[in-house]
């Protein structure tokens, strides 16, 4: 009799433990979130494997706070229910295609990938489900959020101006021509020749004609064309000579090395500074990420209010 009672108690105990393990924590749009689901996710957080990069979470914080963890899992259920509602689920062939792409990107075969996952203690079927979920969620987020984010040039410039104190967002771009007079016999004679040419230009001689007649540049090009330069990208002596000139203006001769140079501004326009251009895409990426965080949280709040959520 005692033996029968002991066995009965053991069976009851096992049943209670199994029931407790599969206890329902929440129901989200008809989808059940169980204690076993939470425990499996906690195991992933602890191992830091198969982390979904859509949800930027701090594993330690979630592991310490059950309420936050359940809320996080509910958010995942909401995202997945939207995937289903919008018909964005993918089939086995697409999943296999994505896995093959991952292996190719790593420079290994599919079999090697499977071996690597096994070494890391990751079941391949679990990995397949993870890839399926990730691709579906990315498709949803691209459609609902990412595709709607627009970062204007004004926002980029405003951010740069605030962060890069003392740096200009805009710069001048100069299209320049030049006449070069070499110092041959003496510097004074070369300077005199340069001033004489400059005087003739001021009196009406066409700069292009003057360049053809008087330039001593061994690499002379038609009209004395020198090039197109942005502020900060060419010789300071050149920039100082032309920065206060309007289009069509000619600068007084300046000495550069062993030469005297006469510069003409063919065209002058405002463009984005080289310093700003060097950081423009990095700033765009940062602002896009920040905008995504805000829009994603706003989207989740909206979807939570529209969802049928019951927490036990």
């Amino acid at each position: 009799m005692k033996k029968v009672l002991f066995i009965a108690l053991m069976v009851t105990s096992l049943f209670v433990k199994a029931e407790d393990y599969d206890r329902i924590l929440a129901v989200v749009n008809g989808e059940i979130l169980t204690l076993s689901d939470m425990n499996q996710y906690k195991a992933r957080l602890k191992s830091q494997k198969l982390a979904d990069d859509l949800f930027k979470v701090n594993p330690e914080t979630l592991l310490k706070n059950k309420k936050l963890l359940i809320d996080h899992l509910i958010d995942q259920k909401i995202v997945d229910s939207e995937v289903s509602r919008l018909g964005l689920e993918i089939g086995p062939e697409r999943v296999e295609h994505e896995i093959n792409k991952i292996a190719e990107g790593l420079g290994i075969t599919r079999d090697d990938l499977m071996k690597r996952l096994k070494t890391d203690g990751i079941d391949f079927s679990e990995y397949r489900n993870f890839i399926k979920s990730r691709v579906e969620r990315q498709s949803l987020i691209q459609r609902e959020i990412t595709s709607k984010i627009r970062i204007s040039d004004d926002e980029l410039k405003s951010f740069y101006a605030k962060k890069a104190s003392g740096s200009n967002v805009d710069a001048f771009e100069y299209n320049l021509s030049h006449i070069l007079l070499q110092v041959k016999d003496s510097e004074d004679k070369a300077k005199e020749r340069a001033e004489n040419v400059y005087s003739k230009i001021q009196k009406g001689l066409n700069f292009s004609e003057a360049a053809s007649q008087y330039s001593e540049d061994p690499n002379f090009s038609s009209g004395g064309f020198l090039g197109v330069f942005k502020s900060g990208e060419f010789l300071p002596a050149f920039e100082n000579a032309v920065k206060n000139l309007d289009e069509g203006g000619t600068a007084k001769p300046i000495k550069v090395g062993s030469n005297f140079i006469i510069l003409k501004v063919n065209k002058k326009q405002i463009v984005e500074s080289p310093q700003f251009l060097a950081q423009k895409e990095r700033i765009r990426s940062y602002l896009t990420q920040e905008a995504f965080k805000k829009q994603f949280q706003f989207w989740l709040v909206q979807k939570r209010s529209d969802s049928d959520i019951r927490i036990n």
Side-chain angles (χ1 to χ4, degrees):
M1 180 67 180
K2 290 183 179 180
K3 186 175 181 180
V4 173
L5 180 61
F6 174 75
I7 293 173
L9 288 173
M10 284 289 292
V11 170
T12 303
S13 175
L14 288 171
F15 179 76
V16 170
K17 287 181 180 179
E19 186 181 61
D20 182 62
Y21 185 75
D22 291 328
R23 180 163 57 85
I24 295 175
L25 300 178
V27 180
V28 183
N29 295 327
E31 291 293 322
I32 296 172
L33 174 64
T34 67
L35 183 61
S36 60
D37 292 330
M38 185 179 74
N39 288 334
Q40 288 174 11
Y41 192 75
K42 285 172 70 174
R44 280 170 54 179
L45 287 175
K46 289 176 182 177
S47 65
Q48 296 186 354
K49 296 171 183 175
L50 301 183
D52 192 334
D53 52 8
L54 170 61
F55 297 90
K56 305 296 183 182
V57 297
N58 184 320
E60 292 182 1
T61 301
L62 291 183
L63 288 169
K64 291 177 181 178
N65 191 317
K66 182 179 177 181
K67 183 181 182 305
L68 285 179
L69 179 56
I70 292 175
D71 284 343
H72 174 68
L73 291 172
I74 287 173
D75 286 341
Q76 289 191 352
K77 288 288 185 184
I78 289 172
V79 169
D80 292 338
S81 67
E82 281 298 296
V83 166
S84 179
R85 186 181 70 83
L86 295 172
L88 298 176
E89 294 161 315
I90 63 173
E93 290 185 1
R94 173 69 187 281
V95 176
E96 293 304 311
H97 175 71
E98 292 297 328
I99 291 174
N100 289 335
K101 276 175 58 178
I102 292 169
E104 184 180 339
L106 293 171
I108 59 177
T109 66
R110 176 191 169 86
D111 288 342
D112 289 335
L113 176 61
M114 292 177 68
K115 291 176 183 177
R116 185 177 294 187
L117 291 169
K118 186 175 182 180
T119 300
D120 291 339
I122 300 172
D123 182 75
F124 191 70
S125 62
E126 182 185 4
Y127 182 71
R128 188 186 287 112
N129 291 334
F130 169 76
I131 294 301
K132 180 180 187 298
S133 176
R134 188 177 71 173
V135 172
E136 291 172 345
R137 290 173 180 180
Q138 287 175 343
S139 178
L140 171 71
I141 295 307
Q142 171 62 29
R143 169 176 167 161
E144 296 291 292
I145 301 172
T146 309
S147 63
K148 299 175 183 179
I149 294 175
R150 298 287 185 273
I151 306 297
S152 69
D153 281 355
D154 286 342
E155 289 177 283
L156 298 176
K157 290 179 179 180
S158 176
F159 181 87
Y160 177 80
K162 290 177 182 177
K163 296 297 181 180
S165 179
S167 299
N168 293 322
V169 172
D170 294 323
F172 281 112
E173 181 180 78
Y174 302 89
N175 180 308
L176 301 177
S177 290
H178 78 302
I179 299 172
L180 182 147
L181 288 305
Q182 298 180 357
V183 176
K184 296 177 180 177
D185 300 330
S186 71
E187 184 177 310
D188 288 341
K189 288 184 178 180
K191 181 179 180 181
E192 184 179 343
R193 296 202 315 278
E195 289 177 344
N196 182 48
V197 174
Y198 175 74
S199 177
K200 290 181 179 181
I201 293 170
Q202 293 302 104
K203 290 177 181 179
L205 177 63
N206 180 274
F207 190 93
S208 181
E209 292 179 8
S212 298
Q213 291 181 42
Y214 300 108
S215 183
E216 298 167 357
D217 186 349
N219 299 313
F220 177 79
S221 60
S222 179
F225 178 71
L226 182 62
V228 178
F229 310 90
K230 293 184 178 70
S231 300
E233 286 189 330
F234 59 124
L235 289 176
F238 282 19
E239 186 165 356
N240 289 333
V242 302
K243 66 182 181 181
N244 295 320
L245 295 177
D246 295 326
E247 285 189 6
T250 302
K252 293 180 179 181
I254 57 173
K255 187 172 185 299
V256 179
S258 59
N259 304 304
F260 280 90
I261 309 289
I262 303 171
L263 295 168
K264 178 188 177 183
V265 179
N266 301 314
K267 188 175 181 180
K268 180 179 180 181
Q269 61 182 343
I270 296 176
V271 296
E272 294 171 342
S273 73
Q275 295 81 7
F276 171 63
L277 281 173
Q279 298 190 48
K280 186 174 181 179
E281 291 311 310
R282 184 183 64 80
I283 295 171
R284 188 189 303 280
S285 177
Y286 173 77
L287 292 181
T288 299
Q289 290 176 18
E290 293 300 301
F292 173 79
K293 290 177 187 176
K294 293 178 182 177
Q295 292 298 322
F296 182 48
Q297 288 305 314
F298 179 70
W299 181 87
L300 276 176
V301 169
Q302 283 188 313
K303 293 304 173 183
R304 266 182 171 269
S305 65
D306 295 338
S307 298
D308 178 18
I309 302 171
R310 285 170 287 165
I311 301 175
N312 291 337

